[in-house]
Amino acid sequence: MNIAMQCCSLMVLIVIMYLYLSCKKVFLNSEFAFFNLLCSTVLCVFMDIISIVMMSKYDYFGRGIVNGVAKFYLITVVYVAVCCLMYIISNVYDKGDKLKISRLAVYGCFAIVCIGICVAPIEFVSDGKVVYSKGLSLYVSYVFLCIFTLHSAALLAKYSRVLNKDRVKVMSLWIILWIAVCVVQAFYKKQLIVSFAITLGMLVVYIRLENPESALDRETGLFNQNTFGPYVSQRFRNGERFSLIMVTFDDFNKAPVSGTIRCKKEIINLFKDIPNTFAFKTNENDIYILYKHSEEAEKMFEILRRRFILYGDKEFRPYISYMPYSAITDNIDDMLHMFRQANRSNEMLEHHYIIIDKAFRDRMMEVQRIEKMVNDAIENNRIEVYYQPIYSTEKHIFTSAEALVRIRDDKGKIIPPATFIEIAELNGTILKLGEIIFDNVCTFIETSDVLQYGLEYIEVNLSVVQCEHEDLAKEFIEIMRKHNISGETINLEITETATLASKKKLIANMIALRNYGVGFSLDDFGTGQSNLNYIVDMPVDIVKFDKEMTTAYFESTKAKYVMDAAMHMIHGMKLDIVSEGVETAEQLDTMEELGIQYIQGYYFSKPLSQNEYLEFIHKNNKDYYEQHNKQ
Ligand code: C2E
Ligand code: CA
Ligand code: CA
């Protein structure tokens, strides 16, 4: 009797089992399958030892018992092959239904094998040193062992492309070992190497694929990215709901690194070992904590919000996103997309926390719809520019117009800029859009006769994102050159905003464009954002009084004083004023009396399509045309 090899194998397996169980894990489907495989291997090796011992003491134990034990051992060998197949299945079909059906089919087959092994006869051979079994029972187990193993090999080959390469390699090795065992055992019955081979296979799978340490982040002890994705995906697939809190640290903020580290540590310690939760750290250094129950998640979110956002040190404020109900989506990709969008949102930047709920999802979907609409419109040439005439109170004709963008959607409906400008600014599309608008305006000036009708320049709105774009001046000058129009025919409208990050770039762009002859207006004066300092700082020629200010002038004495004073100063600086939003004759008269040079508003006209605008100017500036063409 030689059972040394089997005993060593058993010891190795017990060590693997201990290491595996002593480490925390989330229990993915594939981890369950591995655990089954490990248990079946331990059982198989254990039964190998028992059956050899009993076969060698055949007379002592009696034929019936030894037969039963030997057959049970054969069943455990086949069961290891079944678990190996299930392990591969759980890796390839991670989808609920397919997994269930395959599981049923394999276990059904296995039940038949068990009956076959039990019913078929078995014999024992002993040559003094080695004891082994033979007979039909053994052949039945061999045949099915081969069938299960070949099935595993076929599955692996079929899905080798979608599976992780490392997994394919290790599992192939395991299958090759099995096939080698089958061949050796078939020809050399005395070589009892099954236990050794399966233990070796187990060791390789454990070290390379299932070592729970590899699922943990070394620095924090939290689960890492390798676990986060598969675990969350599995919960979605199984329809298991959860709540998720994500904490992220702005790596670029000005806070001292030591403070950020301290804050991070405190949060990690808070997240560690809370029952019924799993905490993860991703490759992007974001920390997620997953709760099975939303009430507990809610409590933690409140704790975090109070401790770190409301009453914490202002310098080390993390950003916290909280998704109370996973049911707002059904897959991890959409969920992560929502977290990314949430992180970038203005709400997050302002408050340092955000709740990702149904309303957030709906808003995000609306944003996506609009982004798509803008991109479609760009691709299909559906960006249109409307022109709103601007009246000169000195020359009594329409000397300029403001270019206002519109999108024609795929059904032909006109979409106003309020719907899409902010979104295009956030995702950067405004640069492309701005270029198209500018090109459109230049084409209009080049190809129409508006200059002969007394039009001096067209006002084009610039978004703050465009102002900060390094190549803005270069690109705009190129467009003007392409259309052969002079810089004097363009006036760019800039707005004062708190979000302007680089005033330097804006000024550089303004200087380059001014040198080309382009003029500038300061838009939206009189709204919350503007102040007089800005006019002093910026090289502008015109200040545009916002509609709010024009209206307020007639409604409140205070506003009247403010406007009078502002007007006095602006005129003192030798700048012109455009009054926007003039809707009535009374408003027009007052503005004219005040000495405001330009009037824009519905009183004269709403923004008009290019052709309507041409008609408008042909009709209203006719005298100018006739006078100047006679000369
Ligand atoms: P804005 O630059 O202040 O443009 C004036 C807005 O006031 C226009 O709205 C115009 O139609 C409206 N308006 C003009 N006169 C009156 C009036 O008498 N009464 C009323 N109630 N409204 C009047 P619109 O065309 O919807 O544009 C809205 C905003 O969208 C613009 O405000 C501007 O900030 C932005 N925008 C429009 N076109 C462009 C563009 O080409 N580029 C960029 N970056 N922004 C644009
Ligand atoms: Ca404007
Ligand atoms: Ca304005």
Side-chain angles (χ1 to χ4, degrees):
M1 182 178 67
N2 186 354
I3 54 167
M5 194 142 59
Q6 282 81 350
C7 288
C8 290
S9 302
L10 189 61
M11 267 153 47
V12 171
L13 287 172
I14 288 170
V15 170
I16 296 179
M17 181 78 101
Y18 170 75
L19 292 176
Y20 190 72
L21 289 179
S22 60
C23 222
K24 64 172 185 178
K25 53 190 80 58
V26 291
F27 272 116
L28 297 169
N29 282 341
S30 64
E31 284 175 348
F32 264 120
F34 171 77
F35 188 62
N36 268 349
L37 182 59
L38 184 58
C39 293
S40 67
T41 311
V42 171
L43 183 66
C44 177
V45 174
F46 178 70
M47 285 313 298
D48 195 5
I49 296 169
I50 299 287
S51 69
I52 293 172
V53 171
M54 288 179 87
M55 277 192 278
S56 61
K57 301 267 186 289
Y58 184 81
D59 298 333
Y60 176 76
F61 288 105
R63 186 180 177 82
I65 292 182
V66 178
N67 266 3
V69 169
K71 285 182 178 186
F72 185 57
Y73 164 63
L74 291 180
I75 289 174
T76 61
V77 176
V78 180
Y79 186 58
V80 173
V82 166
C83 288
C84 174
L85 176 59
M86 288 313 305
Y87 179 63
I88 293 174
I89 287 176
S90 74
N91 273 282
V92 294
Y93 307 142
D94 229 357
K95 303 263 178 309
D97 276 355
K98 248 183 169 173
L99 189 65
K100 270 185 212 150
I101 295 169
S102 316
R103 218 176 248 162
L104 266 177
V106 173
Y107 284 125
C109 239
F110 176 61
I112 296 170
V113 182
C114 292
I115 296 168
I117 291 175
C118 290
V119 174
I122 192 163
E123 290 166 39
F124 307 109
V125 183
S126 170
D127 69 352
K129 278 188 196 158
V130 184
V131 207
Y132 59 93
S133 53
K134 64 178 208 177
L136 189 59
S137 191
L138 188 73
Y139 299 125
V140 171
S141 65
Y142 270 165
V143 169
F144 281 94
L145 191 63
C146 291
I147 292 176
F148 287 127
T149 307
L150 289 176
H151 189 166
S152 300
L155 262 186
L156 205 55
K158 187 172 167 199
Y159 291 95
S160 59
R161 280 197 186 168
V162 285
L163 280 174
N164 170 316
K165 278 203 183 95
D166 225 27
R167 279 194 179 261
V168 177
K169 249 193 244 164
V170 172
M171 289 185 212
S172 309
L173 188 75
W174 166 258
I175 289 169
I176 291 168
L177 267 171
W178 258 127
I179 295 174
V181 165
C182 292
V183 173
V184 172
Q185 292 286 273
F187 293 103
Y188 306 98
K189 293 196 178 51
K190 290 182 195 171
Q191 299 300 322
L192 302 177
I193 55 166
V194 171
S195 291
F196 177 71
I198 58 176
T199 303
L200 192 62
M202 213 60 237
L203 194 64
V204 176
V205 175
Y206 172 77
I207 293 173
R208 294 297 297 275
L209 305 183
E210 298 295 341
N211 180 355
E213 292 279 344
S214 67
L216 299 179
D217 177 66
R218 272 171 199 273
E219 183 198 337
T220 58
L222 305 180
F223 289 109
N224 62 18
Q225 176 98 22
N226 299 343
T227 321
F228 178 65
Y231 181 63
V232 172
S233 301
Q234 179 176 302
R235 287 198 79 93
F236 274 122
R237 268 196 310 275
N238 296 347
E240 295 162 335
R241 304 217 162 149
F242 57 91
S243 307
L244 199 60
I245 298 174
M246 190 248 242
V247 183
T248 177
F249 298 84
D250 185 356
D251 287 336
F252 304 107
N253 67 9
K254 293 163 202 107
V257 180
S258 60
T260 312
I261 291 174
R262 184 169 45 73
C263 174
K264 226 182 217 178
K265 260 197 188 145
E266 196 181 328
I267 290 177
I268 288 164
N269 286 336
L270 200 66
F271 282 0
K272 263 187 186 165
D273 309 321
I274 306 176
N276 281 326
T277 66
F278 292 117
F280 305 85
K281 185 177 154 234
T282 66
N283 291 349
E284 287 87 36
N285 280 327
D286 300 329
I287 297 166
Y288 286 88
I289 180 161
L290 183 147
Y291 280 83
K292 294 180 181 168
H293 307 290
S294 59
E295 306 81 45
E296 289 159 24
E298 185 81 39
K299 275 186 211 150
M300 175 54 87
F301 173 62
E302 264 316 299
I303 291 173
L304 290 172
R305 204 171 67 95
R306 283 169 185 276
R307 165 69 187 85
F308 296 101
I309 311 291
L310 299 183
Y311 309 117
D313 191 332
K314 288 257 178 300
E315 264 194 310
F316 316 118
R317 283 191 303 172
Y319 292 93
I320 303 173
S321 318
Y322 169 44
M323 181 181 73
Y325 303 104
S326 61
I328 57 166
T329 176
D330 62 1
N331 67 80
I332 185 170
D333 292 336
D334 283 353
M335 184 195 88
L336 290 179
H337 183 66
M338 279 195 270
F339 273 90
R340 274 195 296 272
Q341 296 291 10
N343 251 357
R344 271 192 234 138
S345 65
N346 286 337
E347 195 183 332
M348 180 66 122
L349 288 179
E350 205 178 312
H351 303 297
H352 275 243
Y353 69 87
I354 192 165
I355 297 178
I356 303 176
D357 52 8
K358 193 170 168 298
F360 175 88
R361 185 203 60 190
D362 293 347
R363 277 200 310 274
M364 199 188 84
M365 280 163 71
E366 177 63 5
V367 167
Q368 279 173 348
R369 188 186 69 77
I370 291 165
E371 283 176 339
K372 187 175 173 301
M373 182 185 75
V374 174
N375 288 331
D376 280 358
I378 291 179
E379 264 173 40
N380 299 307
N381 259 332
R382 283 195 264 104
I383 305 292
E384 292 185 19
V385 178
Y386 274 48
Y387 296 90
Q388 188 176 29
I390 297 176
Y391 180 75
S392 159
T393 53
E394 286 162 2
K395 298 188 178 162
H396 304 288
I397 54 161
F398 294 87
T399 52
S400 64
E402 178 172 1
L404 294 156
V405 65
R406 268 93 183 104
I407 279 181
R408 196 172 286 278
D409 74 3
D410 48 5
K411 292 178 192 77
K413 204 176 125 209
I414 288 285
I415 312 292
T419 316
F420 57 86
I421 289 287
E422 201 185 326
I423 291 169
E425 282 177 342
L426 277 174
N427 72 10
T429 320
I430 193 74
L431 290 177
K432 181 80 201 145
L433 198 61
E435 221 181 295
I436 296 173
I437 296 162
F438 193 65
D439 193 272
N440 240 305
V441 171
C442 293
T443 312
F444 181 52
I445 297 173
E446 182 193 13
T447 56
S448 71
D449 55 4
V450 281
L451 297 183
Q452 285 155 282
Y453 275 83
L455 182 104
E456 293 168 5
Y457 54 86
I458 290 185
E459 306 238 347
V460 182
N461 288 285
L462 272 194
S463 135
V464 64
V465 181
Q466 287 173 285
C467 295
E468 288 171 350
H469 175 50
E470 199 139 14
D471 293 333
L472 174 87
K474 199 175 123 227
E475 284 167 10
F476 272 28
I477 291 170
E478 246 167 53
I479 296 174
M480 288 184 281
R481 285 214 172 103
K482 184 178 87 183
H483 292 287
N484 216 5
I485 64 166
S486 79
E488 282 78 14
T489 57
I490 298 289
N491 194 291
L492 297 174
E493 294 190 1
I494 56 166
T495 324
E496 180 182 4
T497 67
T499 55
L500 183 75
S502 170
K503 203 166 170 184
K504 238 179 165 180
K505 278 188 193 153
L506 166 65
I507 301 274
N509 277 324
M510 285 177 86
I511 292 172
L513 285 159
R514 286 194 80 90
N515 288 341
Y516 194 73
V518 174
F520 281 88
S521 304
L522 182 70
D523 202 1
D524 298 341
F525 186 83
T527 59
Q529 299 273 350
S530 57
N531 68 63
L532 283 167
N533 284 343
Y534 212 73
I535 306 182
V536 178
D537 281 0
M538 291 290 162
V540 293
D541 319 274
I542 297 174
V543 176
K544 294 189 80 175
F545 279 6
D546 189 72
K547 179 177 185 308
E548 259 177 54
M549 189 147 156
T550 312
T551 320
Y553 187 86
F554 296 91
E555 285 169 0
S556 115
T557 5
K558 263 193 198 164
K560 190 172 172 302
Y561 282 123
V562 173
M563 191 159 153
D564 282 338
M567 206 169 50
H568 196 73
M569 277 190 276
I570 294 165
H571 279 157
M573 287 185 248
K574 303 268 179 290
L575 304 177
D576 286 342
I577 297 176
V578 177
S579 198
E580 281 187 315
V582 172
E583 293 183 346
T584 64
E586 185 207 350
Q587 287 176 341
L588 170 69
D589 291 344
T590 316
M591 293 298 147
E592 274 199 291
E593 272 166 33
L594 286 172
I596 283 178
Q597 290 86 349
Y598 300 101
I599 308 289
Q600 177 182 355
Y602 290 179
Y603 175 75
F604 289 116
S605 170
K606 287 193 170 181
L608 303 168
S609 71
Q610 192 173 301
N611 288 338
E612 289 167 339
Y613 174 72
L614 271 177
E615 238 174 71
F616 180 96
I617 204 145
H618 286 165
K619 189 172 144 208
N620 289 285
N621 284 8
K622 202 166 111 209
D623 293 348
Y624 177 95
Y625 178 80
E626 283 170 358
Q627 271 173 30
H628 288 77
N629 284 297
K630 270 182 212 155
Q631 288 161 6

